[in-house]
Every structure is written in C-alpha cells, then in structure tokens.
Amino acid sequence: MRTVAIAGVGLIGGSFGLALRAAGYDGRILGVSSPATIAKATAAGAIDRGVSLEQAVDEADLLLLAQPIHVILETIDRLSGRMKPGVLVTDVGSTKRRIVEHGRAALGASFLGAHPMAGKESRGVGAAEPELFRGRPWLVTPVEQNELDALPHRQFLVWLKRIGAHVIVCSPADHDRWVARSSHLPQLLSTTLARTLDEREDREAILGAAGPGLTSMTRLALSSWPIWKDILETNGDSIAEALGEFQAALSTTARALKEGRLEESFARGAQLAGELLREP
Amino acid sequence: MRTVAIAGVGLIGGSFGLALRAAGYDGRILGVSSPATIAKATAAGAIDRGVSLEQAVDEADLLLLAQPIHVILETIDRLSGRMKPGVLVTDVGSTKRRIVEHGRAALGASFLGAHPMAGKESRGVGAAEPELFRGRPWLVTPVEQNELDALPHRQFLVWLKRIGAHVIVCSPADHDRWVARSSHLPQLLSTTLARTLDEREDREAILGAAGPGLTSMTRLALSSWPIWKDILETNGDSIAEALGEFQAALSTTARALKEGRLEESFARGAQLAGELLREP
C-alpha cells in the first residue's frame, strides 16, 4: 500500500490520514477535496497534496471515500470503468446496503463497504485527530465469502488495526439493521422530543424548568439535516421497523407506569447503559 | 435567618450548605442525617453540626427537606404540631402536588414547596459543591397569593438569589406538568430505549456497533430506581399524559419518515436543542 487517496478530507477523512501517519505509514497520502480543504488538510499533515479524483484512482492502491452518502454514490459512478486491477475502493458511509449494491454493480470486487463508528460534534478537517478511531468499531461489510482474503483487503485491515480501530465484519443488511437501532432510532427520538417541545405553547416554561437531563436527550437533535437526509433515504425500511418496535416498547412502558411496575425496566436499562458507559 | 437546618445532607442538601457559606451566610447551619453523613458534611464545611429533627425544628428559622420524596412526606408528618411560628419549612422534591398538599395539610402556611433544577451524576455530600445552583432554576410553588410576601419566605428567596439560583414561581400543578415534559418523559425514553436494546437477541452486535450517540441517549437510564419510584408514584398522571403526547409525535415522525419530509422536524428540533445547550 504505497499510496492512499482520501476523497472528502473532512473530520473522518482527515483523521484517517493523521491516524495512518501516526501509526507509521510512510507512503503517500493524496486528498480529493475543495482547494480550501486541501490547503487546510495539507497544513495539518492529514494529506501530502491534493489531486483530482482521476489522478487519485490512477495513483492510489487504496481509495477511501469519506464523503456524504449521496456523494459516495456519485463518486462510485465517476469511478466506473476507470479502475486499475489491485486497487481497493472503500467508504465510510453511515448506511451500507445501497452503497454496497451500487459499489459492487459499478466497481465489482474492487469495492468494499465500511463504516467507522467514530465521530464528534465538531466537523471538518480542523477537528480531525489521529486517535479518533482508537478503540472504536470499524464495520466492514463484504458480500462474498473470502472477499477479505484478497491482498489489498488484507493490507487495508492491517492498517485499520494499526490505527486502533476494532474491525467488525458483517453483512450490509446486518449493519443497516444494527445501526437503525443503535444510531438512527436514537436520533429520531432526540429529534422528535426536541421538536414536540419546540411546538408547545408552554415551551418557554418547560425550557426554563429544564435540568441537564433534557439537554443530554436533545443533543443529537443538533445533527446536520443533509447528513440525515441521506441516512433516512437509504435505510428507511430498517428505521421504520426500529421505530415500530420502539412504539410497542413505549406502550409497554405506559402500561407498566400505570400499574406501578417499572422497576425491572429501570434495572435492565441501567444494565445496558452502564455497559455502554464503560466501553471506550 | 440566624439558623438554617438541612434534613438530608446529600448532594443537594450539602451543596445548599456550602452555597450559603460561599455567599456569605454567617448564621448556624445544622444537619439532620446519619452519623456518617454528618461527619462527612461537617468536615466538608456544609454544616456546623448534626442535630435531631426535633432539635432542628426548635432551633432553625429555615428547615430545608433535602430528602427523597417519600422521606419528605414522612418528615412532614413528624413535624406536624411541632412548628414554632415564623419558621419556614421548604423542600427540594422532584414533584410538587403531592408534597405541597401534604405539607400544607400538616404545617399550613409554614410549608413552601420548591425544587432546584440542579444535580449531577455523582451523589452524596462528597459530591456537593457551592456552585451547584448557580445559573440553575429553583422552582418555588406557593399555593396562595401573597404567600411569598411573608418575612421568612422573603429571606429564603433572597438567599436563593445570593447563591446564584434563578427563582421561578409557579403552581404545584404547573411544576408537575412542566417537569413531566422536561425531565420525566426524557427519563422514560432513555430507560425504554436501553431496556428494549437490553432485551434483544442481537444485543451484543448492536452494542458492538454503537457510536457515542447511543451512550448519550441511554445515560439517563442509569438513574437510581428508588428516586424514580417516588417520582413516578407522585406524578404518574402528568407523566402518562406526556407519554401519550410523545407516542402521537412518534407516529407523526414515522409517517414523515415514510413520506421523506422530516427536514422541518430536524430544523425545529435543532432550534430547541441549540437553545438548551447555550443556556448555563
């Protein structure tokens, strides 16, 4: 892996470049982004220089698409028919079925879907950091058995481990089902909670009387709509299923509230929440 | 206000003592708690010494009940018939209708319900800090007009302002309605989310693929059941109403997801979440 190219040098793409360098990678790191971002990313040491997408695919052994989902889909179209043998294209999109389907149709076995479960509230390459992926899951979603045995794939996974990511292999469908529960449902709960409070006539009184718990439960509601538009469009069925499950669970909670038997729910909820807090 | 007594010298009670001292209060501060807590609270400077509840009511001008709700109700019973004129009893319980009804029936106009919207994850007097209430709302729930004009009430409110609390006056019913939305509903959403994930067969896979968003949405699920048992028992009707409203809102979200029009929800949610984050 002598040359890595990163298309979209924002928080995730920039952190990947910094992480590679910090882990001892001494090949070239190319970036595909706007001139302003290239300048910032080069100054930060996340990439060596900026190139066009065409140059990137000509020169790189690994091309990481660290773009919004709809841009990843467009980039895959632009790469179609231009791939050299032995080049691996992978992505960081938050949903996987649509992207992997598209990537495989256009690029065949050169495409490997993936999704690092890392992030922070600040965005852009200015917020990038070499340790962003340490101890965090990096889901990898092959569609064929033995797909990960190919040399470019093996090299990619070695570097993921070197930057401290915890590689998890699963199908695109399992990925989308899991993140619908672990990420997309929590997002819609936070947004719905914040939206309903925003619409109330006694909004000011409720905000005035709010404690820190409400702030933590509505924090996700600050998430960027353009990013979530893509996620909701490409994982809508799984998310609708997760919402339906939660509505049933909420009915159970409402009944248990009425009957004064929520102790078991609190015990199980605390158990799971404690595990999440203890994880890195 | 020459003598203040604090019954229940935990995080809130202890912080009230420390806050009074930091704000220049030079009267006596008595504590009613277990011997171990009294020792810790005295060493921390939150109180001057420990006394029995009976001594507290004999000596204090202000008695703050900083106990769990059901203990506040029991303490009110123990105070009944023992009150000297001019003594104010107030509390910090998280629900107000039941406590105020009980307090007024037993102690008459000597009782003033209140609820500081402050806290943190650590509990006990060891976590107490003089700045805990600064910039935070302290809801005060009189039941009669002009009730707050009495001298002991005026003195209490002056000290609340001196310790930096933001005093909000409302009825016990408004209080319970507001906190049902701002605190109790978010708690049940967090607990329900964590509980349903805990019950799933693919629990480990979902936790393995979780990002920081799930951790923040399940953090409240760690809350102590004994405290919430009291809250749910004394504000069940308002909470059931808030849950019903949220279930309707979630159905709206599910429809909007299907129809691809959640942009407005994200905009309104982000608006409210941003306001909460900007507040102290």
Side-chain angles (χ1 to χ4, degrees), chain A residues 117 136-137 178 182 192 195-196 198 200 203 205 208-210 218 222 225 245 247 249 251 253 263 268 273 275 277, chain B residues 117 136-137 178 192 195-196 198 200 203 205 208-210 218 222 225 245 247 249 251 253 263 268 273 275 277:
Chain A
M117 306 302 300
R136 304 293 320 160
W178 297 343
S182 68
T192 301
R195 190 254 299 167
T196 58
D198 192 62
R200 293 179 66 91
R203 173 188 195 282
T218 55
L222 288 167
W225 164 248
E245 290 164 8
Q247 287 184 293
S251 299
T253 294
E263 182 167 7
R268 295 198 78 147
E275 272 180 52
L277 263 188
Chain B
M117 305 303 298
R136 306 292 321 163
W178 297 342
T192 301
R195 189 255 299 166
T196 58
D198 192 62
R200 292 180 65 91
R203 173 189 196 282
T218 54
L222 287 168
W225 164 249
E245 290 165 7
Q247 286 185 294
S251 299
T253 294
E263 183 167 6
R268 295 197 79 146
E275 272 180 53
L277 262 188

Side-chain angles (χ1 to χ4, degrees), chain B residues 130-165:
Chain B
E131 297 296 304
L132 189 71
F133 308 110
R134 186 158 306 278
R136 306 292 321 163
W138 193 307
L139 277 68
V140 172
T141 60
V143 290
E144 280 169 32
Q145 237 175 344
N146 306 330
E147 187 178 332
L148 298 180
D149 295 342
L151 183 62
H153 297 64
R154 292 210 313 270
Q155 288 176 326
F156 174 50
L157 296 189
V158 164
W159 280 106
L160 288 188
K161 281 166 198 167
R162 286 183 184 156
I163 67 174

Side-chain angles (χ1 to χ4, degrees), chain A residues 117-121 136-137 139 166 168 177-179 181-183 185-200 202-225 228-229 232 236 239-240 243 245-247 249-254 257-258 260-277 279, chain B residues 117-121 136-137 139 166 168 177-179 181-183 185-200 202-225 228-229 232 236 239-240 243 245-247 249-254 257-258 260-277 279:
Chain A
M117 306 302 300
K120 49 193 229 182
E121 274 166 41
R136 304 293 320 160
L139 277 68
H166 174 44
I168 298 176
R177 211 176 354 254
W178 297 343
V179 294
R181 275 76 185 179
S182 68
S183 166
L185 171 65
Q187 174 63 48
L188 290 189
L189 294 180
S190 184
T191 292
T192 301
L193 178 63
R195 190 254 299 167
T196 58
L197 293 181
D198 192 62
E199 289 171 350
R200 293 179 66 91
D202 53 2
R203 173 188 195 282
E204 297 313 313
I206 290 175
L207 289 197
L214 185 62
T215 306
S216 81
M217 288 297 283
T218 55
R219 187 177 288 264
L220 284 183
L222 288 167
S223 301
S224 151
W225 164 248
W228 279 93
K229 179 177 190 288
L232 301 176
I239 300 171
L243 266 179
E245 290 164 8
F246 189 81
Q247 287 184 293
L250 214 50
S251 299
T252 304
T253 294
L257 170 69
K258 203 162 285 182
R261 30 169 208 81
L262 271 168
E263 182 167 7
E264 168 78 7
S265 282
F266 271 72
R268 295 198 78 147
Q271 164 83 17
L272 184 124
E275 272 180 52
L276 278 170
L277 263 188
E279 276 172 19
Chain B
M117 305 303 298
K120 49 193 229 184
E121 275 166 40
R136 306 292 321 163
L139 277 68
H166 174 44
I168 298 176
R177 211 176 356 254
W178 297 342
V179 295
R181 275 75 184 181
S182 68
S183 165
L185 171 65
Q187 173 64 47
L188 290 189
L189 294 180
S190 185
T191 292
T192 301
L193 178 63
R195 189 255 299 166
T196 58
L197 293 181
D198 192 62
E199 289 171 350
R200 292 180 65 91
D202 52 3
R203 173 189 196 282
E204 296 312 314
I206 289 174
L207 288 197
L214 184 62
T215 306
S216 81
M217 288 297 284
T218 54
R219 187 176 288 263
L220 284 183
L222 287 168
S223 302
S224 150
W225 164 249
W228 278 92
K229 177 175 191 290
L232 302 176
I239 301 171
L243 265 179
E245 290 165 7
F246 189 81
Q247 286 185 294
L250 214 49
S251 299
T252 304
T253 294
L257 170 69
K258 202 163 286 180
R261 27 169 212 83
L262 271 167
E263 183 167 6
E264 168 77 8
S265 283
F266 271 73
R268 295 197 79 146
Q271 164 82 18
L272 183 125
E275 272 180 53
L276 278 171
L277 262 188
E279 275 171 19

